[in-house]
Amino acid sequence: MAEAAQANPSNPALKKFLLVLNCIMLCAGTPGGPLVTRLYFIHGGKRVWLPSFLEGAGWPLMIIPLIISYIHRRRQWAIATAKGGCSYPAPRLFQLKPFLFASAVVAGVLTGLDAYLYAYGVERIPVSTVTLILSTQLAFTAGFAYLLVKQRFSPYTVNAVFLLTLAAVVLALHSDSDKPKGESNRMYVVGFLMTLAASGLYGFVLPLVEMGYKKTKQVLSYSLVLEYQLVMSFSTAAFCIVGMFINNDFKVIPREAKEFGLGESKYYMVLISSAIVWQCFFVGAMGVIFCASSLSSGIIIAVMLPVTEVLAVIFFREKFQVEKGVSLVLSLWGFVSYFYKEIMDAKKRRNQDQNQHPPHSEMEMNNHSLP
């Protein structure tokens, strides 16, 4: 069936292509999202709900690939019907069933809350510090993946969790030297804690999405993942719009645009760029979960965090104190510990597969030797 082929591609090349494509989007969105959000705040942006809303505002971008996918599925169905070999009804534009739809809505609302916590933190502390705090997300993802999808722990995972936690503690103990001008100690600490909460919450969302994928009775396809992301982003945006109405953000946006440090036109360019970059991040994250796992998604995000930190120091001239260096080393040590475990597991799985499935040429030789 064409529908089944679309649902779970058995073609390894197609699977690798989708994985690489989503990895590229995730790698672009991980540093791009925080940098554009910080750019908004640095040049006079003062709304917190607005950048939170932008994390889901790019949902209409999902409509184009979904329409293309629908046309492709419809064409395959028409060809199969013409040949008389079609036993399933015409494909629908949207395929999400109630369980996955509800899962996407819950994940979207939680992402909206996470976006608010994150934007609040980015407003009050430098991106380089935010990045180091977010490195704890891998620890949260590993913990929740163990609880929700029964991901196994190993000594290497425990070591990585400990080092990433220690890296955040080092930053917390030396927060005074990193405080922006005019920022009170209380507001800085609140920003720090908000960012840490955002890290933990998104570390919960990734395994939650994977659990939804595993528990659904629908056959998953990449187009279904895009539908899931559309509903999820729409729910994120809807959640944040409520906050914007309560906070009267819509009345303030025109005035804020005129007072923006880079100019009014650049203000709207920053908002549009933020929506696009964040959509790349979320589509990439969901796609990697589909092609691999929630932990793989968390790992890629973790790998790009040092890149984000370096770019923040270069573009925003943020200070890079000794404690940030210590925290970065501890974070990288934690990443290496985790990656080493993943590499060893992958090698072990390859060896098991080779033992269970001998090479094709060897099987042919064995078959030829039979009487």
Side-chain angles (χ1 to χ4, degrees), residues 158-179:
V158 174
N159 184 52
V161 170
F162 172 75
L163 290 169
L164 291 168
T165 305
L166 185 60
V169 170
V170 169
L171 278 180
L173 293 175
H174 297 84
S175 59
D176 287 344
S177 60
D178 191 42
K179 193 172 56 180

Side-chain angles (χ1 to χ4, degrees), residues 20 79 83 88 161 272 316:
V20 170
I79 293 172
K83 291 180 179 179
Y88 55 92
V161 170
I272 293 170
F316 299 144

Side-chain angles (χ1 to χ4, degrees), residues 300-345:
I300 294 170
I301 293 169
V303 169
M304 293 306 296
L305 291 178
V307 176
T308 309
E309 185 174 356
V310 171
L311 292 174
V313 171
I314 293 171
F315 291 123
F316 299 144
R317 303 289 189 268
E318 294 183 356
K319 293 183 288 186
F320 193 84
Q321 302 96 330
V322 174
E323 60 271 11
K324 282 189 182 180
V326 173
S327 183
L328 179 60
V329 169
L330 289 171
S331 298
L332 291 174
W333 187 4
F335 297 156
V336 169
S337 176
Y338 191 87
F339 293 145
Y340 179 76
K341 176 253 182 189
E342 287 294 306
I343 291 169
M344 295 300 292
D345 284 352

Side-chain angles (χ1 to χ4, degrees), residues 9 41 55 66 72 80 98 101-102 107 131 138-139 151 156 169 173 187 231 234 238 253 269 283 291 311 320 333 346:
F41 287 120
E55 293 195 24
L66 283 174
H72 175 68
F101 183 86
T131 299
L138 181 58
Q151 186 79 36
Y156 296 106
V169 170
L173 293 175
M187 295 310 295
V231 174
F234 181 84
I253 288 174
M269 285 178 62
V283 172
C291 295
L311 292 174
F320 193 84
W333 187 4

